[in-house]
Amino acid sequence: MSVKVIIEGCRLSYPALFKPRESQEGGDAKYQATILIPKTDAKAVQAIQTAIQQEMAAAAQPSGAWKGAQPPNPQLPLYDGDQVKPRSGKPWGDECKGHWVLRTSSSTQPDIVDEYGNKAMDASKFYAGCYCHYSVNIAAYNNKQLGVGAYLNCVMFDKDGEPLEAHASAKEDFADLLAARATQPPMSQMPQTAAPTGFGGFDGFGGFPQQ
């Protein structure tokens, strides 16, 4: 059993839509996407939370995924971006503030289309920071641990956004070295070192000096 949820116009983070990526918890590589849902998007948040509750209730039945078990703290895919990460205790990134963080994955590649519904082939279009629409299945699982996961079905590009991945700048990283270089005199003003005498090297024309 699973419950399908459509999430509209939310920011994409940590995308691995065209090539699977290993998770931090280990295991097989999977296609992944983290979806940042504004807390003001009550419709999407309510749909996800309701689906999670439905799946937990069904999984706890004797015929459910948890075989009648009711874990006190099942793993869930939805996190509060204003709190800390449950495993590390470290705060979420600044981009997560004011958002719910939904982690999704899939063993098979999701159906990915552009804003016109055409099959998307350009991975660079789906970068961390852009906005997309998502089709996600919420389903309980029993795989060493008991929990509820969010499984990515489809992704549709919505619009561009500010990229979340910062690129290094050579001028910033090497600012001190460049400043020091600027205080040095140019090579044309550097004192020339005289060539050593008695050097029996080449004559400059591809041969040894004439005797």
Side-chain angles (χ1 to χ4, degrees):
M1 178 182 176
S2 64
V3 179
K4 181 178 291 186
V5 176
I6 304 299
I7 305 168
E8 300 180 4
C10 288
R11 208 169 191 190
L12 174 64
S13 182
Y14 293 104
L17 301 177
F18 292 82
K19 183 179 180 181
R21 179 177 61 212
E22 293 184 0
S23 66
Q24 296 179 350
E25 293 77 17
D28 297 336
K30 294 183 178 182
Y31 298 92
Q32 303 173 44
T34 296
I35 306 172
L36 305 182
I37 307 171
K39 291 186 175 180
T40 54
D41 189 348
K43 178 182 177 182
V45 174
Q46 182 62 47
I48 295 169
Q49 291 177 336
T50 299
I52 290 175
Q53 293 299 322
Q54 290 177 354
E55 280 299 297
M56 289 176 62
Q61 297 298 316
S63 60
W66 298 345
K67 306 300 182 182
Q70 183 62 59
N73 295 302
Q75 291 189 343
L76 301 178
L78 189 65
Y79 305 89
D80 188 341
D82 291 314
Q83 302 298 321
V84 296
K85 298 179 181 179
R87 293 192 177 185
S88 66
K90 296 180 180 180
W92 294 89
D94 291 339
E95 72 278 6
C96 299
K97 304 304 181 185
H99 293 76
W100 288 98
V101 181
L102 181 67
R103 286 181 167 175
T104 72
S105 65
S106 177
S107 298
T108 58
Q109 186 178 20
D111 190 15
I112 309 169
V113 298
D114 63 17
E115 60 268 45
Y116 304 107
N118 300 316
K119 186 71 174 180
M121 305 299 293
D122 184 5
S124 65
K125 188 178 184 70
F126 295 81
Y127 56 89
C130 75
Y131 292 81
C132 298
H133 309 300
Y134 312 86
S135 170
V136 175
N137 275 358
I138 305 296
Y141 62 82
N142 184 347
N143 183 17
K144 295 183 180 180
Q145 294 180 320
L146 306 182
V148 176
Y151 303 97
L152 193 60
N153 295 318
C154 311
V155 180
M156 178 179 177
F157 182 84
D158 180 26
K159 62 182 180 180
D160 287 310
E162 182 179 355
L164 296 177
E165 297 177 351
H167 296 281
S169 167
K171 287 187 176 181
E172 292 180 2
D173 291 351
F174 303 136
D176 292 343
L177 296 174
L178 292 171
R181 175 64 61 85
T183 61
Q184 296 179 357
M187 293 297 296
S188 60
Q189 298 180 12
M190 296 284 287
Q192 300 297 318
T193 302
T197 59
F199 175 69
F202 291 99
D203 62 0
F205 296 95
F208 288 95
Q210 301 295 322
Q211 301 294 330

